[in-house]
Amino acid sequence: LLPPLLLLLLWGRPGLGAPGQGAGTWSRFVRLPYPQDQLFLHDTFPDGFLWGAGSAAYQTEGGWRQGGKGASVWDTFSHRPATPPGAAPPGPVGGDVASDSYNNLFRDVEALRRLGVSHYRFSLSWARLLPNGTAPPNPAGLAHYGRLLARLRELGVEPVVTLYHWDLPQALQDAFGGWVSPVLPRLFRDYAELCFRHFGGQVRYWLTMDNPYVVAWHGYGTGRLPPGVRGGPRLGYLAAHHLLQAHAKVWHLYNDHFRPAQRGKVSIALSSHWIKPQQMTEKNIKECQKSLDFVLGWFAKPIFIDGDYPESMRSNLSSLLPEFSEAEKKYIQGTADFFALSFGATLSFQLLDSHMKFRQLESISLRQLLYWINSEYNNPQIFIVENSWFVSGTTKKDDAKYIYYLKKFIMETLKAIRYDGVNVFGYTVWSLLDGFEWHRGYSIRRGLFYVDFQSHDKKLMPKSSVLFYQKLVEKNGFPPLPENQPIEGVFPCDFAWGIVDNYIQVDTTPAQFLDSSVYVWDIHQTKKLIKVDGVYASKRKRHCADFAAIRLQVSLLQEMHVTHFHFSLKWSLILPLGNLSLINHTLVHYYQCFASELLRVNITPVVALWQPMIENQELPVSLAKYGAWENAETVQAFVEYARFCFTNLGDHVKFWITMNEPSVKNLTYTAGHNLLKAHAKVWHLYDKDFRRSQKGKISIALQADWVEPACPFSRNDQEVAARILEFDIGWLAEPIFGNGDYPEVMRAWLHRISGVDLYNFHLPYFSEDEKKLIQGSFDFFALSHYTTTLVGSEKEDAVKYDHYLEVQMINDITWLHSPSRAAVVPWGLRKLLKWVKSKYGNIPIYVMANGIDDGQNMVHDKLRVYYIQNYVNEALKAYALDDVNLQGYFVYSFNDKTAPKYGLYSYVANQYEPKPSLKHYREIIGNNGFPGPGTPELLCPEEVAPCPECRFFRTRKSLLAFISFIFVAFIVTIFFITYYSKRVERRYK
């Protein structure tokens, strides 16, 4: 990977910002190098970067009738008979108690100490400090926040204080109509002055208000949120007008009267979504720009640019949008000391008005939003004051989904700093602890610490995200780790470099040279060849060269420089009736020719007897029709089929796979039972009757994707991951490579759930003889590996939850993904290889298939180049660093014709074209890995191409010796006859 500084130069640093310049964001990010730009960035944040957590008074404080607090609009709204939209079933009411932070101040601060954060963002309750919204102040409220600030000071945690986080005193709503009244800006200024006087000496960062878009649009326009006024767009825009004026008044108050002594900074927390065009057209990009103008620019442009609304709003809304006088524009312009950004689950996909998307697509790209702000608002210092996602309200400890969204957002922030030159100086995770989540009530959770809202004491329980964030803060980001770095080195001389094709292209059309008919050329009339009836030439023997399809495929394989080619036979075509009563001799001859042609060019054929496919599982119809592998007779049929293949192809094939990638996802326990017995019987058949003469090796190839606990700190998730590995891999591997029986984990789990359905969950038993038959029936461990999956124990998403195994599938959205959404996780291969070694000993291992799909756009082949490069390097780490007995690596797949989107050759208009990934793989093969300056030179002996036809001579050595003796005697006799004849002639002369 290129260093971040060089990448910053290549990516391009944004110039000085101005309104409209953000429109270049979408085209810029489309042009960034793929996949390098999407890779996870292992780096740290700048020194002094601020790490914090946040909360809001109404969401967590509770104590709504304690300490003289007055009612807020949220108190009134929550107590309405109708439940807030999206809220959970009856339980806690609004924020009456919530997390009870009012009575647990030291509990919350202890949580901050545990996290090791540098700052804590919280909001003051206007109704707690001024119960009627105006003087006199409430002494109990002042004392409460004084104690909180004092405790934060003792811990060295910087307070970031929000004056107003949506909880307007109800008294002001009743008396003046809330923010639609021009009186409110002055009253807000008075409230702010009280706060500055009492707390300003301990606060360096002030936020006047949070997310004015939500307050104005949904509080006074749609009425979705308190105070629930359905005033339509006109009142929504009027409320926003007054919110901007109120903010400006407070900033000027601080700037003029408190900044010289207190030396703090003041801003406003603005929330935004991100939007992407449906198609990259100029019109759609303009609509995306307009969408951001209508949400973020509505407040940001007046404050950060020129004191007025965006041009797109003024031209589209005409008389609906209030106007600022020139004096007001100057007064509002520049009233922020930094750009405070809120991004995440509060607004995105929830409170963003659908009309403000302008028919474009909402997205959650924080990095692109940061770049847009940087370009649009003249490179401001940005403080992310709220960011995260959410988990289900039922999630308790292992909040994996939350962790991976957090990881994504923080990584995007790091890229914005390192790659894009955006000046972000702080990050605030939302939130410190679970609380009341506004319009969604208690149906979701966003806290790092779990709160049992039904309990009396409201103790905090750290979730897995606490450990994740704690370590991240401690390390100041994601520093590079030794195990993440590629290594230099080479594989052994006899390492198998291969390519896979599920089934080779079979074309048994006879060549023209095999046609015995006689033709004459009509040169006078038709100018064509005319067949002469009843006249035939003598037939010649068939030759492998007659198959043009074989020549083409072999020549393509030669171009790759592979040493091995892995493909599967078609049982259903070789023996259509499932027995030897009907044999497709033409196809068998084709396979013989293909294998011999491979050997001729020094490519070792690796042949699977059976590979399941969709249609009839690739079994002969007669077997598929009567139960397939559920039927024990299929076992004996497979043995007879294998004997036929060994007899007819064994002279050419020395590397056998009994069964290639039997899918455990679609396998019943009875079918798996029979499948294992069939494999073992075939292995013993080869070992007893064919190994000595054919000198080959044979095993089974299992699909083995790695499974990683979603929360690496969670014992529950670790147990789930171990269980899935046993069900996915151990089910078939343990009987063969282990103790001859199924994994104990499987039996224990199925016994636990057997009460549900005894038949479906019954795992058959092997007899002692069957165990001995199956155990050790291998010559090597062959596995196919494509990706890595995250699994968790807590149910989060019903669609991706497996009730049978009680496992939640999780997606790490920071991973690279292919067009089919397969995750690219190279280190998963190394972990898998180490797991196989630790479980089954130091047996020879072959990675029989490893590959990724691409899209129609050839840019995706760059992903395959990255995939091959890094998966092979992880395989090298397993070999060189972990001492795994790895003997081969095969890429999947040969070409797009037989495996669409996976091939190293594309197939278009009946033509095969090599993709760039083919050249890259060929280079790796040529280097036998990744040699570096310090890599010892590996001198490999030249291989001699095997000669299958030579078997005739090897098995008839005595006959050859006799013939040689006769030939030598004949030569000697001729010599003596000639010699003495010449002497006799000279004597007579």
Side-chain angles (χ1 to χ4, degrees), residues 211-225:
N211 204 339
Y213 166 86
V214 169
V215 175
W217 193 252
H218 292 302
Y220 296 89
T222 68
R224 286 185 64 188
L225 298 180

Side-chain angles (χ1 to χ4, degrees), residues 556-724:
L556 293 174
L557 289 167
Q558 281 185 280
E559 285 295 310
M560 303 178 77
H561 297 180
V562 292
T563 62
H564 291 64
F565 179 52
H566 173 31
F567 63 94
S568 299
L569 304 177
K570 287 203 170 188
W571 183 4
S572 63
L573 297 182
I574 294 176
L575 302 179
L577 299 181
N579 55 48
L580 300 179
S581 63
L582 180 61
I583 301 171
N584 188 338
H585 290 288
T586 302
L587 180 59
V588 173
H589 178 64
Y590 187 90
Y591 284 135
Q592 290 171 336
C593 286
F594 197 98
S596 64
E597 286 299 296
L598 288 174
L599 291 171
R600 186 180 61 80
V601 297
N602 212 23
I603 297 176
T604 300
V606 181
V607 180
L609 294 170
W610 174 72
Q611 176 170 334
M613 298 297 282
I614 296 176
E615 186 175 359
N616 293 327
Q617 301 181 48
E618 192 41 52
L619 295 171
V621 175
S622 58
L623 297 176
K625 185 178 179 181
Y626 293 102
W629 288 107
E630 296 272 345
N631 189 343
E633 292 183 6
T634 304
V635 175
Q636 191 56 38
F638 186 64
V639 174
E640 293 307 313
Y641 162 63
R643 181 186 296 276
F644 175 81
C645 293
F646 295 154
T647 302
N648 289 274
L649 300 174
D651 290 343
H652 307 287
V653 179
K654 311 301 178 187
F655 199 141
W656 288 99
I657 301 294
T658 57
M659 300 159 176
N660 192 51
E661 297 185 24
S663 175
V664 297
K665 304 294 184 185
N666 303 315
L667 208 60
T668 66
Y669 292 129
T670 301
H673 202 69
N674 288 331
L675 190 146
L676 282 166
K677 289 191 286 187
H679 155 78
K681 288 186 176 184
V682 168
W683 187 89
H684 282 284
L685 168 69
Y686 189 84
D687 188 57
K688 179 182 176 182
D689 296 348
F690 296 94
R691 190 189 299 275
R692 180 172 297 180
S693 60
Q694 296 181 1
K695 294 181 172 52
K697 53 188 174 183
I698 184 169
S699 195
I700 188 172
L702 304 176
Q703 181 162 339
D705 288 334
W706 181 242
V707 179
E708 185 78 3
C711 295
F713 322 107
S714 166
R715 181 174 296 178
N716 290 337
D717 284 10
Q718 291 170 5
E719 290 176 357
V720 168
R723 180 162 70 244
I724 299 303

Side-chain angles (χ1 to χ4, degrees), residues 247-266:
H247 159 76
K249 281 182 178 293
V250 170
W251 187 89
H252 282 286
L253 167 70
Y254 189 86
N255 192 59
D256 295 342
H257 300 286
F258 294 96
R259 191 190 301 275
Q262 296 180 1
R263 301 182 183 278
K265 295 183 178 181
V266 179

Side-chain angles (χ1 to χ4, degrees), residues 883-905:
D883 202 27
V884 173
N885 188 6
L886 184 64
Q887 298 197 358
Y889 171 89
F890 292 65
V891 167
Y892 182 84
S893 163
F894 180 19
N895 63 74
D896 283 345
K897 183 177 183 180
T898 51
K901 300 182 180 181
Y902 281 87
L904 298 194
Y905 281 100

Side-chain angles (χ1 to χ4, degrees), residues 793-854:
S793 57
E794 299 233 19
K795 184 178 180 181
E796 179 66 37
D797 180 356
V799 175
K800 296 182 179 180
Y801 187 77
D802 185 334
H803 292 271
Y804 175 50
L805 294 175
E806 295 182 10
V807 57
Q808 178 69 64
M809 303 299 172
I810 302 289
N811 182 33
D812 185 342
I813 53 179
T814 66
W815 285 348
L816 273 177
H817 288 83
S818 73
S820 69
R821 302 305 298 161
V824 179
V825 192
W827 51 259
L829 175 58
R830 181 183 178 188
K831 286 197 172 187
L832 172 67
L833 294 172
K834 290 170 67 177
W835 181 82
V836 171
K837 178 188 175 184
S838 68
K839 194 164 180 62
Y840 302 118
N842 196 31
I843 58 179
I845 302 176
Y846 288 86
V847 178
M848 295 303 298
N850 180 238
I852 196 75
D853 62 290
D854 58 29

